[in-house]
Structure formats: structure tokens, C-alpha cells
Amino acid sequence: GDSVTQMEGPVTLSEEAFLTINCTYTATGYPSLFWYVQYPGEGLQLLLKATKADDKGSNKGFEATYRKETTSFHLEKGSVQVSDSVVYFCGYNKLIFGAGTRLAVHP
Amino acid sequence: GAVVSQHPSRVICKSGTSVKIECRSLDFQATTMFWYRQFPKQSLMLMATSNEGSKATYEQGVEKDKFLINHASLTLSTLTVTSAHPEDSSFYICSARRSSGGKNEQFFGPGTRLTVL
């Protein structure tokens, strides 16, 4: 069935390090893909999205490119900050989510 | 962006009681809302799709008699956990779909933490 697989956490980085969180999906057709963030005790907030192949979503220094050939939507950021320490969820069509990846950034 | 609220944000109840959780779209009309359940340190699992004026569509494995969903207006959907038990303790999140200009966007509520003693 349709599913999303993302990198297991926690991911621990030093401030200003490069971040990659892998996300791959299996689906029929070409779904829209999303990255969400979740702050402790809160719901999800949309970080970025891409609606078709080769689209790049970007927001707040984060980027992800919709790669149809590898069915991937990896999240990247060139220089992480301590404030980026939250849980990241990859999802598609807003109904199916990965397991979440907790990021911890240390000064 | 659009705002979706949930009430209550936290609820503690005794085993065997029923708990109602409200999900409201505050500044837009939502013909479709979604209910999710999230266990600690895990992903969101879609429980059901709530359609205004019609019956909810439940995902496989979700007991419709246990989790009653009512979407009585374009701004309100309710989830009632009936005869709650400790295993129902979880974080419940709703989202509402806003359709505008041929585009669909989805906005999440802040979640409701249910603890059943």
C-alpha cells in the first residue's frame, strides 16, 4: 500500500552543520509531498511542499526537491540552528505521514 | 494563514466515560475535516475523514462505534471517544481542508491530549 519512510531519529547536529533528512514514498500516481514540523505538545505546521515532479519546496532555509525517479523528497538545510530542534514529518497528500524525525541541534 | 482550534487542549477522564473533542475552523468553511491519532514519539495515523452533512469515512481498523464523528456545520467537527479506556490515551489532532480558487489547503489544529485513568 501507499506509505512514507523517513530517516529514523534522533538526528543530532552541531549548530551550522548541514542537515539532510531522507524521505521516500510509495504511491500510485503522483502525490503532492509535504514536510511538516511539530513543536512539543502541538499539532503540525506546514514547512514546505511540492506538488509535482522536479518541484522544489523551500521555506526558512529548508529545501526539498520532488524526485519522481527516486520517489524521494529529502529535506535539506545548509546551516541548522538550535531553534530548528523539533520533530519533522514527511507526508503525502496530507493523509499519510512518515514516522517523524527528531532533530537536536547543539550550540 | 487559516486557524483551526481544538477544545479541550487536555482532558483527563475516568475509564468508562465518554469524551468529546471539538475541532473548529475559525476563519474559513471546511466541508472536510480529518481526525488523526498520535502515539508518543510516533507518526500521525489517520482515523477518519469527516464530511459536513454526511457520515464520516473511517480508516481500516478504526472502530466507528468507539470513535463517533459528527460534522454538523461547515466550521465544526466533533470526535467523541465513547466508553474510554486507558489504551485510548493519546494525542488527537484534527485538520481542516480549505478550498479556495481551485486549490486545497489543509490546516492542523493544536491537538488534544487525552489521558484515561
Side-chain angles (χ1 to χ4, degrees):
Chain A
D2 299 345
S3 66
V4 174
T5 303
Q6 64 180 96
M7 175 188 284
E8 284 189 27
V11 173
T12 303
L13 295 172
S14 298
E15 203 165 26
E16 298 183 1
F18 185 86
L19 168 71
T20 300
I21 300 178
N22 291 338
C23 171
T24 57
Y25 66 91
T26 57
T28 53
Y30 303 108
S32 296
L33 300 172
F34 303 83
W35 276 100
Y36 288 90
V37 296
Q38 185 177 34
Y39 293 90
E42 297 185 15
L44 272 63
Q45 297 178 26
L46 179 65
L47 178 61
L48 54 84
K49 66 179 181 182
T51 57
K52 61 183 189 296
D54 299 325
D55 265 3
K56 176 186 283 187
S58 61
N59 185 28
K60 300 180 181 178
F62 291 90
E63 293 183 341
T65 301
Y66 189 152
R67 303 274 187 210
K68 187 178 66 174
E69 63 277 12
T70 55
T71 61
S72 65
F73 193 55
H74 304 322
L75 182 68
E76 297 181 336
K77 186 176 185 182
S79 175
V80 293
Q81 305 300 314
V82 173
S83 57
D84 295 327
S85 300
V86 291
V87 180
Y88 295 82
F89 289 93
C90 182
Y92 84 71
N93 287 346
K94 299 168 181 164
L95 297 180
I96 297 178
F97 296 89
T101 302
R102 182 175 300 277
L103 172 65
V105 180
H106 298 289
Chain B
V3 178
V4 175
S5 71
Q6 282 184 239
H7 178 81
S9 57
R10 291 176 181 271
V11 56
I12 300 173
C13 69
K14 292 182 179 179
S15 189
T17 59
S18 294
V19 174
K20 180 185 285 188
I21 303 170
E22 294 184 348
C23 177
R24 293 182 185 272
S25 54
L26 297 186
D27 51 0
F28 66 98
Q29 294 183 331
T31 55
T32 304
M33 293 184 174
F34 304 92
W35 286 97
Y36 301 84
R37 183 173 180 176
Q38 184 181 32
F39 291 100
K41 299 185 180 180
Q42 295 187 29
S43 186
L44 278 69
M45 300 299 296
L46 179 66
M47 298 173 66
T49 302
S50 171
N51 301 296
E52 188 268 335
S54 65
K55 291 183 179 179
T57 304
Y58 290 81
E59 295 300 301
Q60 191 171 12
V62 178
E63 299 174 62
K64 58 184 68 176
D65 295 331
K66 172 78 170 173
F67 299 100
L68 301 179
I69 291 173
N70 184 283
H71 194 154
S73 78
L74 288 172
T75 59
L76 173 64
S77 175
T78 60
L79 168 68
T80 301
V81 182
T82 62
S83 187
H85 291 283
E87 58 265 29
D88 299 323
S89 298
S90 192
F91 194 54
Y92 292 87
I93 300 175
C94 75
S95 70
R97 176 186 286 165
R98 182 178 73 178
S99 299
S100 173
K103 189 169 65 170
N104 289 326
E105 296 177 277
Q106 190 161 328
F107 300 91
F108 286 83
T112 297
R113 184 162 301 286
L114 169 63
T115 303
V116 185
L117 301 177

